[in-house]
Amino acid sequence: MIKYNEKERLLKHVLNQKLYFSEIEERLVRVTYSLMADNVYTIDRAIPDLIKIINLLELEHEAIMLEINRILE
């Protein structure tokens, strides 16, 4: 059975992941909205932002996989 402290730590970890994904989602929405609403914000300017978002998602994916492997060991 998982102890209370371990449950609290896992809850904090999951909440931090959710917050991080929400921040990434907000960035994606902002870039998408800017492309749709602003003639000055061009695809050339959006591409680096989208690449950053993809990289952040990849890093988070790797962190989740490491956490899963740690739990399974």
Side-chain angles (χ1 to χ4, degrees), residues 9 12 20 25 27 38 44-46 57 61 63 66 71:
R9 188 192 70 74
K12 286 179 183 178
Y20 192 64
E25 183 180 35
R27 286 181 179 189
D38 189 355
D44 290 337
R45 287 187 55 206
L57 289 170
H61 173 72
L66 287 172
I71 289 170

Side-chain angles (χ1 to χ4, degrees), residues 51-71:
I51 290 171
K52 287 178 190 174
I53 292 168
I54 291 167
N55 286 336
L56 290 172
L57 289 170
E58 181 63 27
L59 289 173
E60 191 59 26
H61 173 72
E62 289 176 17
I64 290 169
M65 293 308 295
L66 287 172
E67 183 71 16
I68 289 170
N69 288 333
R70 186 190 68 77
I71 289 170

Side-chain angles (χ1 to χ4, degrees), residues 2-32:
I2 298 176
K3 295 180 183 177
Y4 178 76
N5 288 340
E6 184 66 14
K7 283 184 180 181
E8 184 177 343
R9 188 192 70 74
L10 287 172
L11 177 61
K12 286 179 183 178
H13 180 72
V14 171
L15 289 173
N16 282 330
Q17 281 182 322
K18 175 62 178 156
L19 177 61
Y20 192 64
F21 275 117
S22 295
E23 290 170 352
I24 294 171
E25 183 180 35
E26 185 268 334
R27 286 181 179 189
L28 182 58
V29 169
R30 187 176 351 118
V31 169
T32 304

